[in-house]
Amino acid sequence: SRVVGEDTLYLAGPEALLDVVRRQKDALDRVMVVGHNPGTHDLVERLTGDVIERFATCGVASILLDCDRWRQVTFGCGSLDVYLCPKMLPGEDD
């Protein structure tokens, strides 16, 4: 796995985040976007059409995309596979 930092994504909106996804090499099976809200929250909702009331700090969304190449990713082409936030995980009190 490889980590690439892009300073331009700090507080970026969904369009800028989508642009980064579209620039990925097709040899990659998965891409993980780590960012700040509201951009990441908006990206997930616009890719999937799902509404997430509150995309929590440290929230993680897994999205299945209905396309063959990264450059084909568009808003609405995904479906929400999993959404997790820290409160959903078992803790010491469980």
Side-chain angles (χ1 to χ4, degrees):
S1 58
R2 185 182 82 166
V3 176
V4 177
E6 294 211 22
D7 292 338
T8 60
L9 294 185
Y10 186 74
L11 298 178
E15 292 84 5
L17 295 170
L18 179 62
D19 184 54
V20 169
V21 171
R22 287 178 175 159
R23 287 188 274 126
Q24 300 310 303
K25 295 180 184 199
D26 289 330
L28 298 174
D29 292 329
R30 293 174 185 88
V31 172
M32 182 176 192
V33 176
V34 179
H36 293 273
N37 280 335
T40 51
H41 183 173
D42 293 343
L43 178 67
V44 170
E45 289 189 338
R46 291 183 66 185
L47 282 173
T48 65
D50 288 303
V51 174
I52 298 173
E53 288 298 318
R54 183 175 174 276
F55 199 100
T57 300
C58 295
V60 176
S62 173
I63 300 170
L64 303 173
L65 299 171
D66 187 22
C67 55
D68 297 323
R69 301 186 185 281
W70 293 110
R71 67 179 170 264
Q72 297 171 330
V73 177
T74 59
F75 293 134
C77 79
S79 60
L80 186 62
D81 182 39
V82 174
Y83 171 72
L84 292 173
C85 68
K87 289 183 179 180
M88 296 172 157
L89 302 174
E92 293 179 19
D93 297 342
D94 293 341

